[in-house]
Amino acid sequence: MRGKAFLVGSGPGGLGLLTFRAREVIDSADVILYDQLPGDEILSTLPPDAERIDCGKFGGDHTLEQREIEEIMIARVMEGKRVVRLKGGDPFLFGRGGEELEALREHGVPVEVVPGVTSAIAVPECVGIPVTHRRYASAVTVITGHEDPTKPESALDWEVLARLRGTIVILMGVKNLPGIAAALMEHGKNPLTPVAVIERGLRTDQRVTVGPLGEIAEIAKERGVSPPAVIVIGDVVHLYDESHLPR
Ligand code: SAH
């Protein structure tokens, strides 16, 4: 069977961090399903003769449900097509790549996974912030900020997170930043812990906001911080340096 599915990471945005394998499978794809996270620079280089499906804007304004995305992928592979599911960063760090893999496997669809450079590491890195450092942090925890910490059913243990002596990297955390900062401090995290919020990392309109945990939510609000952004909490933020702006 020629048909095959590819779960492909685009990197954090910009052609420089798209892997060689990702470029190869994109260029030979019959169908590409994507959303806006990979960014214009990459999305403008999708092969014009491939069928392109914008999962965020399908047939007007309709956003494709996860199940619909999986169904389209399976159906196209069964037709013998090479189907690329292009995802921002790495396909298996949030963004539901794992669920897509399960659905494809269940239907006996051959799948290749193409790892990508994750924003969780690359975005801080490109403003000079290493997520670990011998002097500042021997561990890094990457969490989703999608969970509202004020809800009792939060899947994250904020007490444990507050106690961890390492870096916390938060994806999808802009909206809940006030609640997240409050939950961490409530469980004992020092309000002076430095925080960096990097919006649209590695894009031409990248912007960085830095402040102490106790004030970051207010500062971010004043500056109108908006997604996508990577939030880094921990002493490694002391190494923040503007001169690492992307080329
Ligand atoms: N799989 C992706 C993450 C998907 S979740 C990865 O490995 O990077 C989507 C979140 O990723 C966004 O809400 C944001 O927190 C983060 N993100 C992805 N690309 C980004 C970028 N270029 N700049 C800032 N944040 C980014």
Side-chain angles (χ1 to χ4, degrees):
M1 174 159 90
R2 178 178 179 271
K4 189 172 171 183
F6 300 84
L7 296 174
V8 180
S10 74
L15 289 167
L17 294 178
L18 188 74
T19 66
F20 194 78
R21 182 65 184 148
R23 183 79 268 169
E24 272 181 349
V25 302
I26 290 168
D27 289 345
S28 63
D30 300 309
V31 183
I32 303 178
L33 296 98
Y34 61 95
D35 43 54
Q36 291 307 311
L37 196 58
D40 291 342
E41 196 180 327
I42 289 171
L43 295 177
S44 65
T45 67
L46 301 184
D49 46 346
E51 179 190 3
R52 290 187 260 175
I53 301 176
D54 182 343
C55 299
K57 266 196 241 118
F58 189 65
D61 277 343
H62 171 63
T63 302
L64 284 183
E65 302 279 337
Q66 187 62 27
R67 192 182 42 81
E68 294 176 293
I69 294 173
E70 291 161 7
E71 280 170 7
I72 294 173
M73 291 179 71
I74 293 161
R76 297 294 196 279
V77 174
M78 299 295 188
E79 290 164 14
K81 305 253 168 78
R82 290 167 67 86
V83 178
V84 166
R85 173 72 173 114
L86 185 64
K87 303 174 93 70
D90 181 89
F92 284 0
L93 187 71
F94 303 126
R96 311 185 73 169
E99 285 166 60
E100 288 168 13
L101 179 70
E102 281 180 309
L104 294 162
R105 272 188 189 153
E106 261 168 40
H107 288 80
V109 167
V111 191
E112 177 181 326
V113 179
V114 181
V117 174
T118 181
S119 66
I121 296 176
V123 166
E125 183 165 49
C126 290
V127 294
I129 302 173
V131 292
T132 68
H133 186 290
R134 268 176 70 94
R135 234 178 9 255
Y136 298 115
S138 297
V140 55
T141 307
V142 182
I143 64 172
T144 167
H146 210 63
E147 295 262 338
D148 181 353
T150 58
K151 295 230 173 87
E153 66 273 19
S154 171
L156 290 165
D157 187 333
W158 295 95
E159 192 184 339
V160 170
L161 288 167
R163 253 205 326 262
L164 283 172
R165 286 192 302 145
T167 307
I168 300 176
V169 174
I170 306 171
L171 303 186
M172 300 177 281
V174 171
K175 186 167 147 260
N176 286 325
L177 182 56
I180 291 167
L184 290 172
M185 289 186 289
E186 190 183 310
H187 290 102
K189 191 112 189 140
N190 187 340
L192 296 176
T193 311
V195 182
V197 183
I198 307 139
E199 297 168 84
R200 299 173 297 276
L202 290 141
R203 315 269 166 90
T204 47
D205 53 349
Q206 168 175 293
R207 181 171 72 154
V208 186
T209 300
V210 178
L213 184 61
E215 292 167 31
I216 193 68
E218 193 56 36
I219 299 172
K221 191 178 155 210
E222 270 165 26
R223 283 169 60 93
V225 166
S226 65
V230 173
I231 301 168
V232 187
I233 303 178
D235 290 335
V236 289
V237 171
H238 288 307
L239 293 168
Y240 164 61
D241 177 352
E242 291 268 8
S243 65
H244 296 267
L245 291 172
R247 277 177 290 161

